[in-house]
Amino acid sequence: MPPSLSVFVPAYNAADTLGAVIDRIPDDAWQLIDAVHVIDDGSTDDTARVALDIARQNPKVHAHSLETNQGYGEAVRQ
């Protein structure tokens, strides 16, 4: 059985770049990935909406949102 991975992508005000970040995951890596968790860290732009749009297009991507910006470490912990 091949290894499986969960990828965590903390995002803050990344609406303009989030799609490109996810697109940089190589096609062959998706075979090993169980889930990509995008954590919107209380962004003030459309990051949460973009993350949800990506999640709707890719069942391995899961969008999560924090109400307020709590920093990289807390976004990963959540």
Side-chain angles (χ1 to χ4, degrees):
M1 176 180 246
S4 61
L5 302 172
S6 290
V7 177
F8 295 86
V9 181
Y12 179 72
N13 289 344
D16 293 338
T17 59
L18 186 56
V21 169
I22 301 301
D23 287 344
R24 290 186 68 190
I25 298 173
D27 290 339
D28 56 342
W30 284 103
Q31 297 172 7
L32 301 174
I33 293 173
D34 281 337
V36 174
H37 297 276
V38 178
I39 303 98
D40 168 39
D41 188 18
S43 297
T44 58
D45 67 357
D46 286 332
T47 299
R49 183 191 54 78
V50 170
L52 283 171
D53 288 346
I54 294 169
R56 286 185 187 114
Q57 296 172 19
N58 186 331
K60 289 190 175 188
V61 177
H62 305 276
H64 311 274
S65 290
L66 303 178
E67 284 189 32
T68 60
N69 180 263
Q70 299 178 33
Y72 175 87
E74 188 59 27
V76 171
R77 275 189 287 280
Q78 292 290 327

PDB file of all heavy atoms in Angstrom, residues 34-75:
ATOM      1  N   ASP A  34      -4.219  12.128   0.547  1.00  0.00           N
ATOM      2  CA  ASP A  34      -5.583  11.835   0.985  1.00  0.00           C
ATOM      3  C   ASP A  34      -6.420  13.105   1.015  1.00  0.00           C
ATOM      4  O   ASP A  34      -7.587  13.100   0.655  1.00  0.00           O
ATOM      5  CB  ASP A  34      -5.591  11.226   2.386  1.00  0.00           C
ATOM      6  CG  ASP A  34      -5.238   9.760   2.381  1.00  0.00           C
ATOM      7  OD1 ASP A  34      -5.402   9.102   1.350  1.00  0.00           O
ATOM      8  OD2 ASP A  34      -4.789   9.276   3.435  1.00  0.00           O
ATOM      9  N   ALA A  35      -5.798  14.209   1.495  1.00  0.00           N
ATOM     10  CA  ALA A  35      -6.541  15.455   1.625  1.00  0.00           C
ATOM     11  C   ALA A  35      -5.593  16.644   1.630  1.00  0.00           C
ATOM     12  O   ALA A  35      -4.489  16.562   2.150  1.00  0.00           O
ATOM     13  CB  ALA A  35      -7.359  15.451   2.906  1.00  0.00           C
ATOM     14  N   VAL A  36      -6.069  17.731   1.038  1.00  0.00           N
ATOM     15  CA  VAL A  36      -5.401  19.028   1.130  1.00  0.00           C
ATOM     16  C   VAL A  36      -6.346  19.916   1.921  1.00  0.00           C
ATOM     17  O   VAL A  36      -7.498  20.138   1.518  1.00  0.00           O
ATOM     18  CB  VAL A  36      -5.126  19.640  -0.263  1.00  0.00           C
ATOM     19  CG1 VAL A  36      -4.575  21.054  -0.132  1.00  0.00           C
ATOM     20  CG2 VAL A  36      -4.174  18.767  -1.056  1.00  0.00           C
ATOM     21  N   HIS A  37      -5.878  20.388   3.071  1.00  0.00           N
ATOM     22  CA  HIS A  37      -6.684  21.242   3.939  1.00  0.00           C
ATOM     23  C   HIS A  37      -6.213  22.683   3.774  1.00  0.00           C
ATOM     24  O   HIS A  37      -5.080  23.001   4.127  1.00  0.00           O
ATOM     25  CB  HIS A  37      -6.547  20.822   5.400  1.00  0.00           C
ATOM     26  CG  HIS A  37      -7.051  19.444   5.658  1.00  0.00           C
ATOM     27  ND1 HIS A  37      -8.386  19.181   5.887  1.00  0.00           N
ATOM     28  CD2 HIS A  37      -6.408  18.243   5.696  1.00  0.00           C
ATOM     29  CE1 HIS A  37      -8.536  17.888   6.069  1.00  0.00           C
ATOM     30  NE2 HIS A  37      -7.360  17.292   5.961  1.00  0.00           N
ATOM     31  N   VAL A  38      -7.066  23.520   3.216  1.00  0.00           N
ATOM     32  CA  VAL A  38      -6.773  24.942   3.096  1.00  0.00           C
ATOM     33  C   VAL A  38      -7.423  25.635   4.286  1.00  0.00           C
ATOM     34  O   VAL A  38      -8.645  25.533   4.477  1.00  0.00           O
ATOM     35  CB  VAL A  38      -7.305  25.529   1.773  1.00  0.00           C
ATOM     36  CG1 VAL A  38      -7.035  27.022   1.708  1.00  0.00           C
ATOM     37  CG2 VAL A  38      -6.691  24.811   0.580  1.00  0.00           C
ATOM     38  N   ILE A  39      -6.606  26.310   5.094  1.00  0.00           N
ATOM     39  CA  ILE A  39      -7.114  26.979   6.284  1.00  0.00           C
ATOM     40  C   ILE A  39      -7.024  28.485   6.074  1.00  0.00           C
ATOM     41  O   ILE A  39      -5.932  29.054   6.066  1.00  0.00           O
ATOM     42  CB  ILE A  39      -6.332  26.582   7.551  1.00  0.00           C
ATOM     43  CG1 ILE A  39      -6.367  25.066   7.760  1.00  0.00           C
ATOM     44  CG2 ILE A  39      -6.924  27.265   8.776  1.00  0.00           C
ATOM     45  CD1 ILE A  39      -5.140  24.378   7.266  1.00  0.00           C
ATOM     46  N   ASP A  40      -8.168  29.107   5.870  1.00  0.00           N
ATOM     47  CA  ASP A  40      -8.223  30.561   5.753  1.00  0.00           C
ATOM     48  C   ASP A  40      -8.072  31.138   7.164  1.00  0.00           C
ATOM     49  O   ASP A  40      -8.889  30.888   8.038  1.00  0.00           O
ATOM     50  CB  ASP A  40      -9.550  30.997   5.135  1.00  0.00           C
ATOM     51  CG  ASP A  40      -9.777  32.481   5.256  1.00  0.00           C
ATOM     52  OD1 ASP A  40      -8.811  33.246   5.093  1.00  0.00           O
ATOM     53  OD2 ASP A  40     -10.920  32.877   5.543  1.00  0.00           O
ATOM     54  N   ASP A  41      -7.017  31.898   7.360  1.00  0.00           N
ATOM     55  CA  ASP A  41      -6.674  32.423   8.687  1.00  0.00           C
ATOM     56  C   ASP A  41      -7.258  33.819   8.903  1.00  0.00           C
ATOM     57  O   ASP A  41      -6.538  34.787   9.090  1.00  0.00           O
ATOM     58  CB  ASP A  41      -5.150  32.424   8.855  1.00  0.00           C
ATOM     59  CG  ASP A  41      -4.712  32.774  10.265  1.00  0.00           C
ATOM     60  OD1 ASP A  41      -5.537  32.679  11.192  1.00  0.00           O
ATOM     61  OD2 ASP A  41      -3.538  33.154  10.437  1.00  0.00           O
ATOM     62  N   GLY A  42      -8.592  33.919   8.817  1.00  0.00           N
ATOM     63  CA  GLY A  42      -9.257  35.188   9.083  1.00  0.00           C
ATOM     64  C   GLY A  42      -8.981  36.250   8.042  1.00  0.00           C
ATOM     65  O   GLY A  42      -8.902  37.444   8.369  1.00  0.00           O
ATOM     66  N   SER A  43      -8.863  35.862   6.802  1.00  0.00           N
ATOM     67  CA  SER A  43      -8.559  36.806   5.723  1.00  0.00           C
ATOM     68  C   SER A  43      -9.634  37.877   5.586  1.00  0.00           C
ATOM     69  O   SER A  43     -10.806  37.645   5.894  1.00  0.00           O
ATOM     70  CB  SER A  43      -8.440  36.060   4.392  1.00  0.00           C
ATOM     71  OG  SER A  43      -7.369  35.155   4.421  1.00  0.00           O
ATOM     72  N   THR A  44      -9.213  39.032   5.084  1.00  0.00           N
ATOM     73  CA  THR A  44     -10.142  40.131   4.842  1.00  0.00           C
ATOM     74  C   THR A  44     -10.484  40.252   3.356  1.00  0.00           C
ATOM     75  O   THR A  44     -11.232  41.140   2.973  1.00  0.00           O
ATOM     76  CB  THR A  44      -9.560  41.466   5.360  1.00  0.00           C
ATOM     77  OG1 THR A  44      -8.306  41.703   4.719  1.00  0.00           O
ATOM     78  CG2 THR A  44      -9.370  41.412   6.868  1.00  0.00           C
ATOM     79  N   ASP A  45      -9.933  39.366   2.540  1.00  0.00           N
ATOM     80  CA  ASP A  45     -10.259  39.350   1.116  1.00  0.00           C
ATOM     81  C   ASP A  45     -11.146  38.128   0.825  1.00  0.00           C
ATOM     82  O   ASP A  45     -11.811  37.624   1.713  1.00  0.00           O
ATOM     83  CB  ASP A  45      -8.985  39.373   0.255  1.00  0.00           C
ATOM     84  CG  ASP A  45      -8.148  38.107   0.377  1.00  0.00           C
ATOM     85  OD1 ASP A  45      -8.517  37.202   1.177  1.00  0.00           O
ATOM     86  OD2 ASP A  45      -7.120  38.015  -0.309  1.00  0.00           O
ATOM     87  N   ASP A  46     -11.157  37.646  -0.382  1.00  0.00           N
ATOM     88  CA  ASP A  46     -12.026  36.536  -0.784  1.00  0.00           C
ATOM     89  C   ASP A  46     -11.369  35.165  -0.654  1.00  0.00           C
ATOM     90  O   ASP A  46     -11.777  34.216  -1.331  1.00  0.00           O
ATOM     91  CB  ASP A  46     -12.489  36.736  -2.229  1.00  0.00           C
ATOM     92  CG  ASP A  46     -13.527  37.823  -2.368  1.00  0.00           C
ATOM     93  OD1 ASP A  46     -14.269  38.047  -1.391  1.00  0.00           O
ATOM     94  OD2 ASP A  46     -13.609  38.435  -3.446  1.00  0.00           O
ATOM     95  N   THR A  47     -10.366  35.027   0.199  1.00  0.00           N
ATOM     96  CA  THR A  47      -9.660  33.751   0.342  1.00  0.00           C
ATOM     97  C   THR A  47     -10.618  32.617   0.689  1.00  0.00           C
ATOM     98  O   THR A  47     -10.532  31.529   0.112  1.00  0.00           O
ATOM     99  CB  THR A  47      -8.547  33.857   1.400  1.00  0.00           C
ATOM    100  OG1 THR A  47      -7.601  34.848   0.962  1.00  0.00           O
ATOM    101  CG2 THR A  47      -7.832  32.533   1.598  1.00  0.00           C
ATOM    102  N   ALA A  48     -11.526  32.831   1.620  1.00  0.00           N
ATOM    103  CA  ALA A  48     -12.460  31.769   2.024  1.00  0.00           C
ATOM    104  C   ALA A  48     -13.312  31.326   0.841  1.00  0.00           C
ATOM    105  O   ALA A  48     -13.522  30.122   0.632  1.00  0.00           O
ATOM    106  CB  ALA A  48     -13.337  32.250   3.176  1.00  0.00           C
ATOM    107  N   ARG A  49     -13.799  32.263   0.058  1.00  0.00           N
ATOM    108  CA  ARG A  49     -14.628  31.920  -1.111  1.00  0.00           C
ATOM    109  C   ARG A  49     -13.825  31.153  -2.146  1.00  0.00           C
ATOM    110  O   ARG A  49     -14.288  30.151  -2.696  1.00  0.00           O
ATOM    111  CB  ARG A  49     -15.226  33.168  -1.750  1.00  0.00           C
ATOM    112  CG  ARG A  49     -16.151  32.853  -2.932  1.00  0.00           C
ATOM    113  CD  ARG A  49     -16.524  34.097  -3.719  1.00  0.00           C
ATOM    114  NE  ARG A  49     -15.389  34.869  -4.169  1.00  0.00           N
ATOM    115  CZ  ARG A  49     -14.626  34.556  -5.222  1.00  0.00           C
ATOM    116  NH1 ARG A  49     -14.864  33.464  -5.919  1.00  0.00           N
ATOM    117  NH2 ARG A  49     -13.620  35.330  -5.583  1.00  0.00           N
ATOM    118  N   VAL A  50     -12.592  31.603  -2.402  1.00  0.00           N
ATOM    119  CA  VAL A  50     -11.728  30.919  -3.366  1.00  0.00           C
ATOM    120  C   VAL A  50     -11.438  29.499  -2.893  1.00  0.00           C
ATOM    121  O   VAL A  50     -11.484  28.545  -3.682  1.00  0.00           O
ATOM    122  CB  VAL A  50     -10.420  31.716  -3.592  1.00  0.00           C
ATOM    123  CG1 VAL A  50      -9.422  30.910  -4.402  1.00  0.00           C
ATOM    124  CG2 VAL A  50     -10.727  33.046  -4.278  1.00  0.00           C
ATOM    125  N   ALA A  51     -11.153  29.330  -1.607  1.00  0.00           N
ATOM    126  CA  ALA A  51     -10.887  28.002  -1.060  1.00  0.00           C
ATOM    127  C   ALA A  51     -12.101  27.096  -1.236  1.00  0.00           C
ATOM    128  O   ALA A  51     -11.962  25.921  -1.610  1.00  0.00           O
ATOM    129  CB  ALA A  51     -10.491  28.105   0.412  1.00  0.00           C
ATOM    130  N   LEU A  52     -13.290  27.620  -0.983  1.00  0.00           N
ATOM    131  CA  LEU A  52     -14.509  26.828  -1.177  1.00  0.00           C
ATOM    132  C   LEU A  52     -14.708  26.455  -2.638  1.00  0.00           C
ATOM    133  O   LEU A  52     -15.113  25.327  -2.948  1.00  0.00           O
ATOM    134  CB  LEU A  52     -15.728  27.592  -0.665  1.00  0.00           C
ATOM    135  CG  LEU A  52     -15.922  27.607   0.839  1.00  0.00           C
ATOM    136  CD1 LEU A  52     -17.044  28.578   1.222  1.00  0.00           C
ATOM    137  CD2 LEU A  52     -16.211  26.219   1.361  1.00  0.00           C
ATOM    138  N   ASP A  53     -14.425  27.385  -3.541  1.00  0.00           N
ATOM    139  CA  ASP A  53     -14.546  27.096  -4.975  1.00  0.00           C
ATOM    140  C   ASP A  53     -13.587  25.978  -5.382  1.00  0.00           C
ATOM    141  O   ASP A  53     -13.961  25.080  -6.146  1.00  0.00           O
ATOM    142  CB  ASP A  53     -14.266  28.344  -5.808  1.00  0.00           C
ATOM    143  CG  ASP A  53     -15.373  29.378  -5.722  1.00  0.00           C
ATOM    144  OD1 ASP A  53     -16.477  29.053  -5.239  1.00  0.00           O
ATOM    145  OD2 ASP A  53     -15.118  30.540  -6.130  1.00  0.00           O
ATOM    146  N   ILE A  54     -12.369  26.027  -4.889  1.00  0.00           N
ATOM    147  CA  ILE A  54     -11.388  24.984  -5.197  1.00  0.00           C
ATOM    148  C   ILE A  54     -11.860  23.648  -4.631  1.00  0.00           C
ATOM    149  O   ILE A  54     -11.761  22.613  -5.293  1.00  0.00           O
ATOM    150  CB  ILE A  54      -9.992  25.368  -4.659  1.00  0.00           C
ATOM    151  CG1 ILE A  54      -9.450  26.592  -5.405  1.00  0.00           C
ATOM    152  CG2 ILE A  54      -9.022  24.200  -4.770  1.00  0.00           C
ATOM    153  CD1 ILE A  54      -8.216  27.208  -4.777  1.00  0.00           C
ATOM    154  N   ALA A  55     -12.381  23.667  -3.401  1.00  0.00           N
ATOM    155  CA  ALA A  55     -12.860  22.435  -2.768  1.00  0.00           C
ATOM    156  C   ALA A  55     -14.037  21.832  -3.536  1.00  0.00           C
ATOM    157  O   ALA A  55     -14.165  20.608  -3.609  1.00  0.00           O
ATOM    158  CB  ALA A  55     -13.256  22.713  -1.322  1.00  0.00           C
ATOM    159  N   ARG A  56     -14.872  22.660  -4.111  1.00  0.00           N
ATOM    160  CA  ARG A  56     -16.007  22.154  -4.894  1.00  0.00           C
ATOM    161  C   ARG A  56     -15.531  21.456  -6.171  1.00  0.00           C
ATOM    162  O   ARG A  56     -16.196  20.555  -6.670  1.00  0.00           O
ATOM    163  CB  ARG A  56     -16.955  23.290  -5.247  1.00  0.00           C
ATOM    164  CG  ARG A  56     -17.773  23.758  -4.073  1.00  0.00           C
ATOM    165  CD  ARG A  56     -18.803  24.810  -4.479  1.00  0.00           C
ATOM    166  NE  ARG A  56     -19.451  25.341  -3.305  1.00  0.00           N
ATOM    167  CZ  ARG A  56     -19.329  26.593  -2.879  1.00  0.00           C
ATOM    168  NH1 ARG A  56     -18.605  27.462  -3.554  1.00  0.00           N
ATOM    169  NH2 ARG A  56     -19.941  26.992  -1.790  1.00  0.00           N
ATOM    170  N   GLN A  57     -14.384  21.896  -6.692  1.00  0.00           N
ATOM    171  CA  GLN A  57     -13.855  21.331  -7.931  1.00  0.00           C
ATOM    172  C   GLN A  57     -12.987  20.096  -7.692  1.00  0.00           C
ATOM    173  O   GLN A  57     -12.779  19.312  -8.618  1.00  0.00           O
ATOM    174  CB  GLN A  57     -13.030  22.380  -8.672  1.00  0.00           C
ATOM    175  CG  GLN A  57     -13.836  23.565  -9.136  1.00  0.00           C
ATOM    176  CD  GLN A  57     -12.956  24.671  -9.683  1.00  0.00           C
ATOM    177  OE1 GLN A  57     -11.809  24.459 -10.046  1.00  0.00           O
ATOM    178  NE2 GLN A  57     -13.487  25.879  -9.717  1.00  0.00           N
ATOM    179  N   ASN A  58     -12.459  19.941  -6.480  1.00  0.00           N
ATOM    180  CA  ASN A  58     -11.546  18.840  -6.188  1.00  0.00           C
ATOM    181  C   ASN A  58     -11.952  18.209  -4.853  1.00  0.00           C
ATOM    182  O   ASN A  58     -11.790  18.832  -3.811  1.00  0.00           O
ATOM    183  CB  ASN A  58     -10.108  19.339  -6.134  1.00  0.00           C
ATOM    184  CG  ASN A  58      -9.102  18.220  -5.971  1.00  0.00           C
ATOM    185  OD1 ASN A  58      -9.385  17.186  -5.389  1.00  0.00           O
ATOM    186  ND2 ASN A  58      -7.903  18.439  -6.477  1.00  0.00           N
ATOM    187  N   PRO A  59     -12.462  16.978  -4.877  1.00  0.00           N
ATOM    188  CA  PRO A  59     -12.948  16.364  -3.642  1.00  0.00           C
ATOM    189  C   PRO A  59     -11.859  16.099  -2.594  1.00  0.00           C
ATOM    190  O   PRO A  59     -12.177  15.863  -1.427  1.00  0.00           O
ATOM    191  CB  PRO A  59     -13.580  15.052  -4.107  1.00  0.00           C
ATOM    192  CG  PRO A  59     -12.986  14.781  -5.434  1.00  0.00           C
ATOM    193  CD  PRO A  59     -12.643  16.112  -6.031  1.00  0.00           C
ATOM    194  N   LYS A  60     -10.602  16.173  -2.976  1.00  0.00           N
ATOM    195  CA  LYS A  60      -9.519  15.987  -2.000  1.00  0.00           C
ATOM    196  C   LYS A  60      -9.191  17.273  -1.251  1.00  0.00           C
ATOM    197  O   LYS A  60      -8.473  17.251  -0.264  1.00  0.00           O
ATOM    198  CB  LYS A  60      -8.265  15.445  -2.676  1.00  0.00           C
ATOM    199  CG  LYS A  60      -8.403  13.999  -3.105  1.00  0.00           C
ATOM    200  CD  LYS A  60      -7.073  13.433  -3.536  1.00  0.00           C
ATOM    201  CE  LYS A  60      -7.202  11.962  -3.856  1.00  0.00           C
ATOM    202  NZ  LYS A  60      -5.888  11.354  -4.098  1.00  0.00           N
ATOM    203  N   VAL A  61      -9.709  18.399  -1.722  1.00  0.00           N
ATOM    204  CA  VAL A  61      -9.436  19.690  -1.086  1.00  0.00           C
ATOM    205  C   VAL A  61     -10.581  20.024  -0.128  1.00  0.00           C
ATOM    206  O   VAL A  61     -11.749  19.917  -0.482  1.00  0.00           O
ATOM    207  CB  VAL A  61      -9.262  20.814  -2.131  1.00  0.00           C
ATOM    208  CG1 VAL A  61      -9.064  22.165  -1.455  1.00  0.00           C
ATOM    209  CG2 VAL A  61      -8.089  20.501  -3.054  1.00  0.00           C
ATOM    210  N   HIS A  62     -10.200  20.416   1.080  1.00  0.00           N
ATOM    211  CA  HIS A  62     -11.165  20.779   2.116  1.00  0.00           C
ATOM    212  C   HIS A  62     -10.865  22.197   2.588  1.00  0.00           C
ATOM    213  O   HIS A  62      -9.716  22.519   2.897  1.00  0.00           O
ATOM    214  CB  HIS A  62     -11.081  19.811   3.303  1.00  0.00           C
ATOM    215  CG  HIS A  62     -11.255  18.383   2.889  1.00  0.00           C
ATOM    216  ND1 HIS A  62     -12.492  17.812   2.719  1.00  0.00           N
ATOM    217  CD2 HIS A  62     -10.341  17.436   2.570  1.00  0.00           C
ATOM    218  CE1 HIS A  62     -12.334  16.563   2.332  1.00  0.00           C
ATOM    219  NE2 HIS A  62     -11.041  16.308   2.231  1.00  0.00           N
ATOM    220  N   ALA A  63     -11.876  23.027   2.615  1.00  0.00           N
ATOM    221  CA  ALA A  63     -11.714  24.429   3.013  1.00  0.00           C
ATOM    222  C   ALA A  63     -12.161  24.611   4.458  1.00  0.00           C
ATOM    223  O   ALA A  63     -13.227  24.124   4.854  1.00  0.00           O
ATOM    224  CB  ALA A  63     -12.523  25.327   2.090  1.00  0.00           C
ATOM    225  N   HIS A  64     -11.341  25.303   5.222  1.00  0.00           N
ATOM    226  CA  HIS A  64     -11.635  25.621   6.621  1.00  0.00           C
ATOM    227  C   HIS A  64     -11.397  27.117   6.810  1.00  0.00           C
ATOM    228  O   HIS A  64     -10.511  27.685   6.169  1.00  0.00           O
ATOM    229  CB  HIS A  64     -10.711  24.853   7.572  1.00  0.00           C
ATOM    230  CG  HIS A  64     -10.628  23.388   7.275  1.00  0.00           C
ATOM    231  ND1 HIS A  64     -11.532  22.479   7.774  1.00  0.00           N
ATOM    232  CD2 HIS A  64      -9.753  22.673   6.524  1.00  0.00           C
ATOM    233  CE1 HIS A  64     -11.209  21.269   7.348  1.00  0.00           C
ATOM    234  NE2 HIS A  64     -10.133  21.360   6.589  1.00  0.00           N
ATOM    235  N   SER A  65     -12.142  27.740   7.702  1.00  0.00           N
ATOM    236  CA  SER A  65     -11.964  29.172   7.944  1.00  0.00           C
ATOM    237  C   SER A  65     -11.928  29.474   9.432  1.00  0.00           C
ATOM    238  O   SER A  65     -12.733  28.929  10.197  1.00  0.00           O
ATOM    239  CB  SER A  65     -13.099  29.985   7.313  1.00  0.00           C
ATOM    240  OG  SER A  65     -13.012  29.964   5.921  1.00  0.00           O
ATOM    241  N   LEU A  66     -11.008  30.329   9.812  1.00  0.00           N
ATOM    242  CA  LEU A  66     -10.961  30.875  11.162  1.00  0.00           C
ATOM    243  C   LEU A  66     -11.581  32.262  11.100  1.00  0.00           C
ATOM    244  O   LEU A  66     -11.373  32.991  10.124  1.00  0.00           O
ATOM    245  CB  LEU A  66      -9.522  30.956  11.665  1.00  0.00           C
ATOM    246  CG  LEU A  66      -8.734  29.641  11.672  1.00  0.00           C
ATOM    247  CD1 LEU A  66      -7.305  29.889  12.143  1.00  0.00           C
ATOM    248  CD2 LEU A  66      -9.412  28.619  12.541  1.00  0.00           C
ATOM    249  N   GLU A  67     -12.335  32.648  12.111  1.00  0.00           N
ATOM    250  CA  GLU A  67     -13.010  33.951  12.091  1.00  0.00           C
ATOM    251  C   GLU A  67     -12.039  35.119  12.133  1.00  0.00           C
ATOM    252  O   GLU A  67     -12.284  36.141  11.509  1.00  0.00           O
ATOM    253  CB  GLU A  67     -13.993  34.053  13.257  1.00  0.00           C
ATOM    254  CG  GLU A  67     -15.256  33.267  13.030  1.00  0.00           C
ATOM    255  CD  GLU A  67     -16.304  33.561  14.087  1.00  0.00           C
ATOM    256  OE1 GLU A  67     -16.346  34.701  14.585  1.00  0.00           O
ATOM    257  OE2 GLU A  67     -17.075  32.651  14.391  1.00  0.00           O
ATOM    258  N   THR A  68     -10.970  34.965  12.898  1.00  0.00           N
ATOM    259  CA  THR A  68      -9.985  36.045  13.017  1.00  0.00           C
ATOM    260  C   THR A  68      -8.602  35.512  12.704  1.00  0.00           C
ATOM    261  O   THR A  68      -8.336  34.318  12.855  1.00  0.00           O
ATOM    262  CB  THR A  68      -9.976  36.646  14.446  1.00  0.00           C
ATOM    263  OG1 THR A  68      -9.645  35.621  15.374  1.00  0.00           O
ATOM    264  CG2 THR A  68     -11.328  37.254  14.798  1.00  0.00           C
ATOM    265  N   ASN A  69      -7.743  36.416  12.294  1.00  0.00           N
ATOM    266  CA  ASN A  69      -6.366  36.046  12.013  1.00  0.00           C
ATOM    267  C   ASN A  69      -5.678  35.646  13.309  1.00  0.00           C
ATOM    268  O   ASN A  69      -5.652  36.407  14.274  1.00  0.00           O
ATOM    269  CB  ASN A  69      -5.633  37.225  11.357  1.00  0.00           C
ATOM    270  CG  ASN A  69      -4.197  36.875  11.062  1.00  0.00           C
ATOM    271  OD1 ASN A  69      -3.305  37.191  11.834  1.00  0.00           O
ATOM    272  ND2 ASN A  69      -3.974  36.214   9.952  1.00  0.00           N
ATOM    273  N   GLN A  70      -5.159  34.425  13.338  1.00  0.00           N
ATOM    274  CA  GLN A  70      -4.511  33.908  14.532  1.00  0.00           C
ATOM    275  C   GLN A  70      -3.066  33.524  14.298  1.00  0.00           C
ATOM    276  O   GLN A  70      -2.397  33.034  15.196  1.00  0.00           O
ATOM    277  CB  GLN A  70      -5.308  32.709  15.060  1.00  0.00           C
ATOM    278  CG  GLN A  70      -6.726  33.096  15.441  1.00  0.00           C
ATOM    279  CD  GLN A  70      -7.536  31.912  15.912  1.00  0.00           C
ATOM    280  OE1 GLN A  70      -7.029  30.990  16.525  1.00  0.00           O
ATOM    281  NE2 GLN A  70      -8.823  31.949  15.629  1.00  0.00           N
ATOM    282  N   GLY A  71      -2.589  33.694  13.074  1.00  0.00           N
ATOM    283  CA  GLY A  71      -1.204  33.384  12.761  1.00  0.00           C
ATOM    284  C   GLY A  71      -1.027  31.986  12.187  1.00  0.00           C
ATOM    285  O   GLY A  71      -1.880  31.114  12.321  1.00  0.00           O
ATOM    286  N   TYR A  72       0.099  31.806  11.542  1.00  0.00           N
ATOM    287  CA  TYR A  72       0.431  30.564  10.839  1.00  0.00           C
ATOM    288  C   TYR A  72       0.312  29.340  11.751  1.00  0.00           C
ATOM    289  O   TYR A  72      -0.335  28.354  11.411  1.00  0.00           O
ATOM    290  CB  TYR A  72       1.847  30.680  10.278  1.00  0.00           C
ATOM    291  CG  TYR A  72       2.364  29.431   9.621  1.00  0.00           C
ATOM    292  CD1 TYR A  72       2.100  29.187   8.276  1.00  0.00           C
ATOM    293  CD2 TYR A  72       3.112  28.506  10.325  1.00  0.00           C
ATOM    294  CE1 TYR A  72       2.573  28.047   7.662  1.00  0.00           C
ATOM    295  CE2 TYR A  72       3.587  27.358   9.720  1.00  0.00           C
ATOM    296  CZ  TYR A  72       3.311  27.138   8.388  1.00  0.00           C
ATOM    297  OH  TYR A  72       3.779  25.995   7.790  1.00  0.00           O
ATOM    298  N   GLY A  73       0.944  29.404  12.907  1.00  0.00           N
ATOM    299  CA  GLY A  73       0.964  28.256  13.810  1.00  0.00           C
ATOM    300  C   GLY A  73      -0.423  27.831  14.247  1.00  0.00           C
ATOM    301  O   GLY A  73      -0.742  26.636  14.274  1.00  0.00           O
ATOM    302  N   GLU A  74      -1.252  28.779  14.602  1.00  0.00           N
ATOM    303  CA  GLU A  74      -2.604  28.448  15.058  1.00  0.00           C
ATOM    304  C   GLU A  74      -3.443  27.921  13.890  1.00  0.00           C
ATOM    305  O   GLU A  74      -4.254  27.011  14.079  1.00  0.00           O
ATOM    306  CB  GLU A  74      -3.277  29.652  15.692  1.00  0.00           C
ATOM    307  CG  GLU A  74      -4.594  29.338  16.350  1.00  0.00           C
ATOM    308  CD  GLU A  74      -4.497  28.289  17.461  1.00  0.00           C
ATOM    309  OE1 GLU A  74      -3.433  28.139  18.089  1.00  0.00           O
ATOM    310  OE2 GLU A  74      -5.514  27.614  17.707  1.00  0.00           O
ATOM    311  N   ALA A  75      -3.241  28.468  12.714  1.00  0.00           N
ATOM    312  CA  ALA A  75      -3.978  27.970  11.538  1.00  0.00           C
ATOM    313  C   ALA A  75      -3.644  26.501  11.293  1.00  0.00           C
ATOM    314  O   ALA A  75      -4.538  25.698  11.016  1.00  0.00           O
ATOM    315  CB  ALA A  75      -3.648  28.811  10.317  1.00  0.00           C
TER     316      ALA A  75
END
